[in-house]
Amino acid sequence: MLQKREKVLLLRTFHGRTLRIVREHYLRPSVPCHSPLCPQPAACRNDGKLLTSDVTHYVIPDWKVVQDYLEILEFPELKGIIFMQTACQAVQHQRGRRQYNKLRNLLKDARHDSILFANEFQQHCYLPRERGESMEKWQTRSIYNAAVWYYHHCQDRMPVIMVTEDEEAIQQYGSETEGVFVISFKNYLDSFWPDLKAAHELCDSILQSRRERENESQESRGKEYPEHLPLEVLEAGIKSGRYIQGILNVNKHRAQMEAFVRLQGASSKDSDLVSDILIHGMKARNRSIHGDVVAAELLPKDEWKGRTTALGESDNEDKASGESPSEPMPTGRVVGILQKNWRDYVVTFPSKEEVQSQGKNAQKILVTPWDYRIPKIRISTQQAEALQDFRVVVRIDSWESTSVYPNGHFVRVLGKIRDLEGEIATILVENSISVVPFSEAQMCKMPVNTPENPWKVSPEEERERKDLRKTHLVFSIDPKGCEDVDDTLSVRTLNNGNLELGVHIADVTHFVAPNSYIDTEARTRATTYYLADRRYDMLPSILSADLCSLLGGVDRYAVSVMWELDATSYEVKKVWYGRTIIRSTYKLFYEAAQELLDGNFSVIEDIPEFKDLDEKSRQAKLEELVWAIGKLTDIARHVRAKRDRCGALELEGVEVRVQLDEQKNIHDLIPKEPLEVHETVAECMILANHWVAKKIWESFPHQALLRQHPPPHQEFFSELRECAKAKGFSIDTRSNKTLAESLDKANDPSDPIVNRLLRSMATQAMSNALYFSTGSCAEEEFRHYGLALDKYTHFTSPIRRYSDIVVHRLLLAAISKDKKMEIKENLFSNKELEELCRHINNRNRAAQHSQKQSTELFQCMYFKDRDPETEERCISDGVIYSIRTNGVLVFIPRFGIKGAAYLKNKDGLVISCGPDSRSEWQPGSLQRFQNKITSTTTRGDSVTFHLFDHVTVRISVQASRCHSDTIRLEIISNKPYMIPNTELSHQNPLLLKSELVKEVTKSVEEAQLAQEVKVETIQEEYQEYCQTKGRSLYLLLEEIKDLALLDVSNDYGV
Ligand SMILES: [Zn+2]
């Protein structure tokens, strides 16, 4: 029997509104208890995660403990944790979505021994709130009551410890029930985990930070910032249009001065504002932090300011912020924060000297975040000195109006400053990428494929699926050494004379059940991450490199799309979607396929499948394969031409493919290469994605996952148009078709770099393609601008992208629907899908950023410790691609580096180039024009730099202790750089990029070998500096290093 209750909730929405919700609340006689000691597992319906039996007690954290100490509860050492629903809801309502999601992920994580107990649905656990009782007291009382019930439910066989911060509760309940203990969290750690040093450090750090916050608010010194307005006032103000809601975006090059509020929600539609709002200075920013959702108030027009366009100290951004230099723009100040978006921040502690200069209050240390956009954070710690050589993770706790800086606490050590692993770990944390290896619990659900126990096609699947093994010549074309083969192709002539084109994609969802451990993990990762020297897979390698990978000569499950085409017009007559069994005959690499297409058959020596064949069958097989590749290419040309007529764009750097070498290392990032066969494959994939998009949208119009690419804002094209004009080209940006055509024409035969740069500018001006749920968008917004298609999705790479897994499930559900069969797949609702798309889009951005940042890290390591005066590699040819007031932006094709070169130095001297064209610094002035900049010395000499001029640059590295190092460029001659060595001049610049990664990796390894000897001394040093804590710090560091390495250890054959 269910009993009905009503429960009143005050909820704060995503947009900051407070809602009063009356929820009907049904009480049940039993809810899952997830305990192995359960006397009635059937009644409790204990499916899914259970607590381990291997514990001496269960621990139940009170709501406040969950809020404040979640990061300690995350420690894998802590076992048998029961999170009460009441505590989880307190986190959700008071700590926001980010913290709540962390908790949810922890509960889902198979590696962590914790469960959720829905105490408020259990009829004996639920306690109504009493009249006059505070929310806090009621929460604690409910949790205690549930703890007692749970203890009895497990037949008094397992002691239960409730940990709370509420002294009164400890007094009141401490000895009320035998077997149920109530103690403080600190006490708990001291008694049960005396050796878990890292947890103690963290706990101290949190406690100290809280204590100081309390002291501070009592002291209540002079106000540094105005108070934030109450939520109700903000909401009313936003509604009436007095305040504007948006996301705070700090300019990383002028983090102290410039931030913008990017309009969001109602504000972006209703107000007349078209641009962002400038927030000038820290005072006006009023304690909001990059990424927060804020409410801002516009200042009167006479107080408006313009944005800066001069090159900043660390300016190497190529994103043009439009040509609206110092013209005043809407300027405002922040009056309140609607949603805080704080995350983990990597920081650097000040050096010894700096600590001393920070003065009397030496316990509070100002640390500098790696991300320029985040303000310095005040940390209370005695370990500042021990931590000064490390990258450290901290969290912000609060930012009072009385404090210049936010307060935070120390979380953990990442690695040494300037150490490759430490810096990579930094990049991962800064992008919120977590790549803990797959756990045993996750892996034990995976199928096996070993020589003793080979994986086989099952008889049931054989009955259910269309079997293509005997009927179809299926093959794959991928970069050399590719292990995760997502996609294969086939083409054949049917008996009726028509052609049949097939795209067969790895059937990942056969192995990954919805909401299984692996599914949850893959969803969290959302994508495979490719860094410059390593990658982190979305799926475990038993799937990604083996059972899902459509390798040659083995049976595999696939999801196929097959089109029946007219033999001459290639018009689509019919299309079939479904599950299949395939056996790929050839695993070709691009270059070989291209040779075959070009009629150069000697390449078959490199194709293993042709070995051990007699001459006759070899000839027959070759003919068959060559016909298929030729036919595919012809079909692809035709399909491509059709898209071209609609204005498909060929852009620089839109699609990057990763090439892996034999050791699975990333060999190169290849932008779309001119090999035609590459396009053939791409076109077939685009075709499959397009047809699957249509299919799932038709079947589920309100909950299909598609990918849109919105048309760009015209104003973003102004720089592109101006630059092209400088070279005498005209770029027509009115549509994707005109843009594509005019970009094709903007080709300087004497300098191919010009076209590349223009395409790259066009790409920069574009918005990103994004996943979305069809229920959230009008149909005309579905379009993919870049590909010139009305509907598009991602179906062809389920091994590497979670979006494709969702799309596979949608497609299979659509097929069941067509057959009037029950839909087994549990589909996402529009709301859930929208949320998921947001997550995947966010993870894709993180993947891009981490790839870019790791590439820059390697570039800096490559040039670091070189003498820029003497070494050949430090001098290179560069092309000017943007003009600023005090310098230019330069692209170096050889290394693919973009960066700023100043024409005026710190002493105010300007660049001057004598008759020998070598540059020197002279007193003088700069004058900037639309497409050029002139430097004139007081002596009267002048030199002018135009857009697209080739110059000789010297590359050096500007080291930074707290941030990433940056490449510095210096123009040393206004003439192009003539490469003395002809061999070098013919080297492919892309090849050099991978060489660069290799060389850096090698020297890092050598340095590590040399350092291993020193480890022991380092350990002693720690003990000296941080007394008892030294050892654990060091061990922690090593542990993290191991974790970071483990995931790629296979790649290195370690
Ligand atoms: Zn039970």
Side-chain angles (χ1 to χ4, degrees), residues 30-46 117 149-150 153-154:
S30 49
V31 296
C33 69
H34 304 292
S35 168
L37 298 173
C38 177
Q40 308 150 303
C44 278
R45 273 178 293 139
N46 277 335
F117 179 65
W149 182 90
Y150 202 95
H153 180 68
C154 294

PDB file of all heavy atoms in Angstrom, residues 30-46 117 149-150 153-154, ligand 1:
ATOM      1  N   SER A  30       8.525  -0.585   1.282  1.00  0.00           N
ATOM      2  CA  SER A  30       9.952  -0.870   1.127  1.00  0.00           C
ATOM      3  C   SER A  30      10.525  -0.144  -0.080  1.00  0.00           C
ATOM      4  O   SER A  30       9.859   0.013  -1.113  1.00  0.00           O
ATOM      5  CB  SER A  30      10.199  -2.376   1.000  1.00  0.00           C
ATOM      6  OG  SER A  30       9.318  -2.900   0.043  1.00  0.00           O
ATOM      7  N   VAL A  31      11.744   0.294   0.084  1.00  0.00           N
ATOM      8  CA  VAL A  31      12.510   0.896  -1.012  1.00  0.00           C
ATOM      9  C   VAL A  31      13.853   0.172  -1.026  1.00  0.00           C
ATOM     10  O   VAL A  31      14.235  -0.406  -0.012  1.00  0.00           O
ATOM     11  CB  VAL A  31      12.728   2.410  -0.805  1.00  0.00           C
ATOM     12  CG1 VAL A  31      11.426   3.157  -0.813  1.00  0.00           C
ATOM     13  CG2 VAL A  31      13.503   2.681   0.466  1.00  0.00           C
ATOM     14  N   PRO A  32      14.589   0.186  -2.143  1.00  0.00           N
ATOM     15  CA  PRO A  32      15.850  -0.559  -2.175  1.00  0.00           C
ATOM     16  C   PRO A  32      16.800  -0.108  -1.065  1.00  0.00           C
ATOM     17  O   PRO A  32      16.977   1.090  -0.859  1.00  0.00           O
ATOM     18  CB  PRO A  32      16.427  -0.219  -3.552  1.00  0.00           C
ATOM     19  CG  PRO A  32      15.242   0.146  -4.381  1.00  0.00           C
ATOM     20  CD  PRO A  32      14.258   0.781  -3.450  1.00  0.00           C
ATOM     21  N   CYS A  33      17.357  -1.059  -0.330  1.00  0.00           N
ATOM     22  CA  CYS A  33      18.287  -0.705   0.744  1.00  0.00           C
ATOM     23  C   CYS A  33      19.734  -0.929   0.298  1.00  0.00           C
ATOM     24  O   CYS A  33      20.651  -0.427   0.899  1.00  0.00           O
ATOM     25  CB  CYS A  33      17.997  -1.503   2.000  1.00  0.00           C
ATOM     26  SG  CYS A  33      18.382  -3.252   1.814  1.00  0.00           S
ATOM     27  N   HIS A  34      19.928  -1.663  -0.778  1.00  0.00           N
ATOM     28  CA  HIS A  34      21.256  -1.899  -1.358  1.00  0.00           C
ATOM     29  C   HIS A  34      22.248  -2.471  -0.368  1.00  0.00           C
ATOM     30  O   HIS A  34      23.443  -2.183  -0.452  1.00  0.00           O
ATOM     31  CB  HIS A  34      21.828  -0.604  -1.962  1.00  0.00           C
ATOM     32  CG  HIS A  34      20.947   0.012  -2.986  1.00  0.00           C
ATOM     33  ND1 HIS A  34      20.703  -0.571  -4.206  1.00  0.00           N
ATOM     34  CD2 HIS A  34      20.247   1.183  -2.977  1.00  0.00           C
ATOM     35  CE1 HIS A  34      19.899   0.213  -4.900  1.00  0.00           C
ATOM     36  NE2 HIS A  34      19.588   1.271  -4.188  1.00  0.00           N
ATOM     37  N   SER A  35      21.775  -3.233   0.591  1.00  0.00           N
ATOM     38  CA  SER A  35      22.702  -3.840   1.538  1.00  0.00           C
ATOM     39  C   SER A  35      22.730  -5.346   1.339  1.00  0.00           C
ATOM     40  O   SER A  35      21.692  -5.972   1.176  1.00  0.00           O
ATOM     41  CB  SER A  35      22.271  -3.528   2.972  1.00  0.00           C
ATOM     42  OG  SER A  35      23.016  -4.346   3.853  1.00  0.00           O
ATOM     43  N   PRO A  36      23.910  -5.963   1.382  1.00  0.00           N
ATOM     44  CA  PRO A  36      23.986  -7.423   1.262  1.00  0.00           C
ATOM     45  C   PRO A  36      23.410  -8.112   2.508  1.00  0.00           C
ATOM     46  O   PRO A  36      23.192  -9.316   2.493  1.00  0.00           O
ATOM     47  CB  PRO A  36      25.493  -7.696   1.119  1.00  0.00           C
ATOM     48  CG  PRO A  36      26.173  -6.494   1.670  1.00  0.00           C
ATOM     49  CD  PRO A  36      25.247  -5.340   1.480  1.00  0.00           C
ATOM     50  N   LEU A  37      23.187  -7.324   3.581  1.00  0.00           N
ATOM     51  CA  LEU A  37      22.640  -7.912   4.800  1.00  0.00           C
ATOM     52  C   LEU A  37      21.118  -7.886   4.816  1.00  0.00           C
ATOM     53  O   LEU A  37      20.485  -8.255   5.806  1.00  0.00           O
ATOM     54  CB  LEU A  37      23.152  -7.135   6.019  1.00  0.00           C
ATOM     55  CG  LEU A  37      24.667  -7.155   6.220  1.00  0.00           C
ATOM     56  CD1 LEU A  37      25.049  -6.219   7.357  1.00  0.00           C
ATOM     57  CD2 LEU A  37      25.138  -8.566   6.513  1.00  0.00           C
ATOM     58  N   CYS A  38      20.536  -7.414   3.740  1.00  0.00           N
ATOM     59  CA  CYS A  38      19.090  -7.250   3.683  1.00  0.00           C
ATOM     60  C   CYS A  38      18.391  -8.593   3.902  1.00  0.00           C
ATOM     61  O   CYS A  38      18.722  -9.586   3.260  1.00  0.00           O
ATOM     62  CB  CYS A  38      18.701  -6.698   2.329  1.00  0.00           C
ATOM     63  SG  CYS A  38      16.926  -6.549   2.134  1.00  0.00           S
ATOM     64  N   PRO A  39      17.407  -8.630   4.818  1.00  0.00           N
ATOM     65  CA  PRO A  39      16.702  -9.900   5.049  1.00  0.00           C
ATOM     66  C   PRO A  39      15.685 -10.215   3.941  1.00  0.00           C
ATOM     67  O   PRO A  39      15.304 -11.361   3.773  1.00  0.00           O
ATOM     68  CB  PRO A  39      15.992  -9.663   6.383  1.00  0.00           C
ATOM     69  CG  PRO A  39      15.848  -8.186   6.493  1.00  0.00           C
ATOM     70  CD  PRO A  39      16.955  -7.559   5.704  1.00  0.00           C
ATOM     71  N   GLN A  40      15.247  -9.197   3.209  1.00  0.00           N
ATOM     72  CA  GLN A  40      14.254  -9.448   2.155  1.00  0.00           C
ATOM     73  C   GLN A  40      14.665  -8.751   0.860  1.00  0.00           C
ATOM     74  O   GLN A  40      14.017  -7.780   0.455  1.00  0.00           O
ATOM     75  CB  GLN A  40      12.888  -8.900   2.565  1.00  0.00           C
ATOM     76  CG  GLN A  40      12.426  -9.368   3.915  1.00  0.00           C
ATOM     77  CD  GLN A  40      11.550  -8.303   4.552  1.00  0.00           C
ATOM     78  OE1 GLN A  40      11.962  -7.151   4.738  1.00  0.00           O
ATOM     79  NE2 GLN A  40      10.327  -8.669   4.865  1.00  0.00           N
ATOM     80  N   PRO A  41      15.707  -9.233   0.235  1.00  0.00           N
ATOM     81  CA  PRO A  41      16.198  -8.529  -0.960  1.00  0.00           C
ATOM     82  C   PRO A  41      15.126  -8.417  -2.045  1.00  0.00           C
ATOM     83  O   PRO A  41      15.102  -7.451  -2.807  1.00  0.00           O
ATOM     84  CB  PRO A  41      17.374  -9.377  -1.444  1.00  0.00           C
ATOM     85  CG  PRO A  41      17.562 -10.457  -0.450  1.00  0.00           C
ATOM     86  CD  PRO A  41      16.464 -10.425   0.539  1.00  0.00           C
ATOM     87  N   ALA A  42      14.238  -9.390  -2.121  1.00  0.00           N
ATOM     88  CA  ALA A  42      13.222  -9.339  -3.170  1.00  0.00           C
ATOM     89  C   ALA A  42      12.262  -8.191  -2.911  1.00  0.00           C
ATOM     90  O   ALA A  42      11.945  -7.404  -3.806  1.00  0.00           O
ATOM     91  CB  ALA A  42      12.469 -10.663  -3.231  1.00  0.00           C
ATOM     92  N   ALA A  43      11.804  -8.068  -1.669  1.00  0.00           N
ATOM     93  CA  ALA A  43      10.879  -6.993  -1.333  1.00  0.00           C
ATOM     94  C   ALA A  43      11.557  -5.638  -1.513  1.00  0.00           C
ATOM     95  O   ALA A  43      10.946  -4.673  -1.981  1.00  0.00           O
ATOM     96  CB  ALA A  43      10.398  -7.153   0.112  1.00  0.00           C
ATOM     97  N   CYS A  44      12.823  -5.564  -1.165  1.00  0.00           N
ATOM     98  CA  CYS A  44      13.549  -4.297  -1.297  1.00  0.00           C
ATOM     99  C   CYS A  44      13.916  -4.007  -2.754  1.00  0.00           C
ATOM    100  O   CYS A  44      14.351  -2.924  -3.077  1.00  0.00           O
ATOM    101  CB  CYS A  44      14.818  -4.318  -0.442  1.00  0.00           C
ATOM    102  SG  CYS A  44      14.521  -3.935   1.289  1.00  0.00           S
ATOM    103  N   ARG A  45      13.774  -4.986  -3.605  1.00  0.00           N
ATOM    104  CA  ARG A  45      14.158  -4.873  -5.018  1.00  0.00           C
ATOM    105  C   ARG A  45      15.580  -4.305  -5.161  1.00  0.00           C
ATOM    106  O   ARG A  45      15.808  -3.268  -5.768  1.00  0.00           O
ATOM    107  CB  ARG A  45      13.144  -4.027  -5.796  1.00  0.00           C
ATOM    108  CG  ARG A  45      12.001  -4.909  -6.310  1.00  0.00           C
ATOM    109  CD  ARG A  45      10.968  -4.089  -7.024  1.00  0.00           C
ATOM    110  NE  ARG A  45      10.290  -3.208  -6.082  1.00  0.00           N
ATOM    111  CZ  ARG A  45       9.960  -1.963  -6.327  1.00  0.00           C
ATOM    112  NH1 ARG A  45      10.248  -1.431  -7.487  1.00  0.00           N
ATOM    113  NH2 ARG A  45       9.326  -1.244  -5.441  1.00  0.00           N
ATOM    114  N   ASN A  46      16.506  -5.042  -4.562  1.00  0.00           N
ATOM    115  CA  ASN A  46      17.898  -4.600  -4.545  1.00  0.00           C
ATOM    116  C   ASN A  46      18.629  -4.964  -5.827  1.00  0.00           C
ATOM    117  O   ASN A  46      19.569  -5.728  -5.809  1.00  0.00           O
ATOM    118  CB  ASN A  46      18.626  -5.245  -3.365  1.00  0.00           C
ATOM    119  CG  ASN A  46      18.374  -4.463  -2.094  1.00  0.00           C
ATOM    120  OD1 ASN A  46      18.076  -3.271  -2.162  1.00  0.00           O
ATOM    121  ND2 ASN A  46      18.493  -5.113  -0.966  1.00  0.00           N
ATOM    122  N   PHE A 117      19.956   5.890  -0.305  1.00  0.00           N
ATOM    123  CA  PHE A 117      18.789   5.286   0.318  1.00  0.00           C
ATOM    124  C   PHE A 117      17.671   6.329   0.321  1.00  0.00           C
ATOM    125  O   PHE A 117      17.806   7.418   0.881  1.00  0.00           O
ATOM    126  CB  PHE A 117      19.115   4.840   1.748  1.00  0.00           C
ATOM    127  CG  PHE A 117      17.934   4.229   2.441  1.00  0.00           C
ATOM    128  CD1 PHE A 117      17.383   3.033   1.988  1.00  0.00           C
ATOM    129  CD2 PHE A 117      17.352   4.856   3.535  1.00  0.00           C
ATOM    130  CE1 PHE A 117      16.278   2.478   2.616  1.00  0.00           C
ATOM    131  CE2 PHE A 117      16.254   4.301   4.167  1.00  0.00           C
ATOM    132  CZ  PHE A 117      15.705   3.109   3.707  1.00  0.00           C
ATOM    133  N   TRP A 149      16.467   3.156  11.476  1.00  0.00           N
ATOM    134  CA  TRP A 149      15.675   2.173  10.731  1.00  0.00           C
ATOM    135  C   TRP A 149      16.594   1.218   9.963  1.00  0.00           C
ATOM    136  O   TRP A 149      16.409   0.007   9.967  1.00  0.00           O
ATOM    137  CB  TRP A 149      14.731   2.892   9.760  1.00  0.00           C
ATOM    138  CG  TRP A 149      13.872   1.902   9.014  1.00  0.00           C
ATOM    139  CD1 TRP A 149      12.665   1.424   9.387  1.00  0.00           C
ATOM    140  CD2 TRP A 149      14.204   1.251   7.778  1.00  0.00           C
ATOM    141  NE1 TRP A 149      12.204   0.511   8.475  1.00  0.00           N
ATOM    142  CE2 TRP A 149      13.126   0.391   7.474  1.00  0.00           C
ATOM    143  CE3 TRP A 149      15.291   1.295   6.905  1.00  0.00           C
ATOM    144  CZ2 TRP A 149      13.108  -0.404   6.333  1.00  0.00           C
ATOM    145  CZ3 TRP A 149      15.278   0.502   5.771  1.00  0.00           C
ATOM    146  CH2 TRP A 149      14.197  -0.341   5.487  1.00  0.00           C
ATOM    147  N   TYR A 150      17.598   1.810   9.334  1.00  0.00           N
ATOM    148  CA  TYR A 150      18.497   1.014   8.496  1.00  0.00           C
ATOM    149  C   TYR A 150      19.235  -0.020   9.346  1.00  0.00           C
ATOM    150  O   TYR A 150      19.401  -1.170   8.956  1.00  0.00           O
ATOM    151  CB  TYR A 150      19.497   1.949   7.798  1.00  0.00           C
ATOM    152  CG  TYR A 150      20.117   1.360   6.552  1.00  0.00           C
ATOM    153  CD1 TYR A 150      19.582   1.633   5.297  1.00  0.00           C
ATOM    154  CD2 TYR A 150      21.223   0.532   6.626  1.00  0.00           C
ATOM    155  CE1 TYR A 150      20.129   1.091   4.142  1.00  0.00           C
ATOM    156  CE2 TYR A 150      21.785  -0.027   5.479  1.00  0.00           C
ATOM    157  CZ  TYR A 150      21.242   0.270   4.241  1.00  0.00           C
ATOM    158  OH  TYR A 150      21.785  -0.275   3.108  1.00  0.00           O
ATOM    159  N   HIS A 153      16.878  -2.701  10.084  1.00  0.00           N
ATOM    160  CA  HIS A 153      16.570  -3.416   8.847  1.00  0.00           C
ATOM    161  C   HIS A 153      17.650  -4.467   8.563  1.00  0.00           C
ATOM    162  O   HIS A 153      17.347  -5.558   8.098  1.00  0.00           O
ATOM    163  CB  HIS A 153      16.459  -2.432   7.681  1.00  0.00           C
ATOM    164  CG  HIS A 153      16.140  -3.086   6.372  1.00  0.00           C
ATOM    165  ND1 HIS A 153      14.920  -3.671   6.120  1.00  0.00           N
ATOM    166  CD2 HIS A 153      16.881  -3.262   5.256  1.00  0.00           C
ATOM    167  CE1 HIS A 153      14.925  -4.176   4.900  1.00  0.00           C
ATOM    168  NE2 HIS A 153      16.107  -3.942   4.340  1.00  0.00           N
ATOM    169  N   CYS A 154      18.888  -4.110   8.862  1.00  0.00           N
ATOM    170  CA  CYS A 154      19.976  -5.075   8.672  1.00  0.00           C
ATOM    171  C   CYS A 154      20.097  -5.983   9.897  1.00  0.00           C
ATOM    172  O   CYS A 154      21.169  -6.521  10.180  1.00  0.00           O
ATOM    173  CB  CYS A 154      21.292  -4.360   8.398  1.00  0.00           C
ATOM    174  SG  CYS A 154      21.281  -3.469   6.852  1.00  0.00           S
TER     175      CYS A 154
HETATM  176 ZN    ZN B   1      16.497  -4.359   2.368  1.00  0.00          ZN
END
